[in-house]
């Protein structure tokens, strides 16, 4: 069986944000005993990632690393009409990716002890982000 739904995450400022609990709040309960959750963000200037869920320094460090790897205002950017943060946001989204697949085991997301789901917001004012969640049972 396949269950699919779309929901909206609350707007986040630029940076990497732990959204595991917010995503879980939108999923049907109970989750199947075994299955697979696919999450897809319907935007080109943010991304989804799985990483450290305990130390918030990881989130701020990742944001700083990405800003250094893909700088704003480079003279070689052609796509500049939507602001200095737009083209770098597209590049960062391509580097991180817009979807995740997470196993479901015993009715829970089978994440590692220190793993959480991140929304990586690469725009200064990205707004609410739309997620499609598909559960394969």
């Amino acid at each position: 069986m396949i269950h699919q739904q779309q929901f909206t995450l609350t707007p986040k400022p630029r940076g990497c944000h732990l959204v595991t609990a917010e995503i879980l709040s939108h999923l049907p309960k109970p989750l199947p005993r075994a299955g697979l959750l696919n999450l897809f963000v319907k935007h080109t200037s943010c991304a989804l990632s799985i990483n450290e869920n305990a130390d918030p320094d990881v989130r701020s460090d990742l944001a700083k690393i990405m800003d250094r790897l893909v700088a704003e205002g480079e003279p070689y950017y052609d796509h500049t009409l939507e602001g200095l943060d737009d083209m770098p946001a597209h590049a960062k989204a391509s580097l991180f990716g817009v979807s995740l697949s997470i196993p479901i085991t015993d009715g829970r997301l089978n994440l590692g002890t220190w793993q959480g789901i991140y929304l990586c917001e690469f725009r200064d004012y990205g707004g609410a982000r739309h997620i499609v969640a598909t559960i394969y049972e």
Side-chain angles (χ1 to χ4, degrees), residues 4 9 13 27 30 39 70 84 114 136:
Q4 188 174 79
L9 296 176
L27 299 180
L39 298 170
V70 185
L84 288 177
W114 305 109
Y136 301 90

Side-chain angles (χ1 to χ4, degrees), residues 46-84:
C46 64
L48 295 172
S49 182
I50 293 177
N51 216 305
E52 166 83 45
N53 68 358
D55 186 349
D57 289 345
V58 172
R59 296 188 286 279
S60 64
D61 285 347
L62 278 174
K64 289 182 266 190
I65 289 166
M66 290 306 293
D67 287 344
R68 186 164 183 159
L69 287 174
V70 185
E72 292 182 5
E74 293 294 343
Y76 53 83
Y77 292 155
D78 294 323
H79 179 74
T80 58
L81 295 176
E82 296 179 55
L84 288 177

Side-chain angles (χ1 to χ4, degrees), residues 9 14 29 35 37 58 60 65 68 71 76 81 88 93 100 111 115 118 120 124 128 131:
L9 296 176
R14 186 176 185 160
K29 290 163 187 66
L37 169 65
V58 172
S60 64
I65 289 166
R68 186 164 183 159
Y76 53 83
L81 295 176
L100 298 173
L111 293 167
Q115 289 183 320
Y118 284 19
C120 301
D124 289 331
I131 305 286

Side-chain angles (χ1 to χ4, degrees), residues 1 7 14 29 45 59 65 73 76 87 89 92 106-107 123 125 131:
M1 182 162 73
F7 55 87
R14 186 176 185 160
K29 290 163 187 66
S45 55
R59 296 188 286 279
I65 289 166
Y76 53 83
M87 187 58 232
K92 293 170 189 177
D106 295 328
R123 297 292 314 261
Y125 306 101
I131 305 286

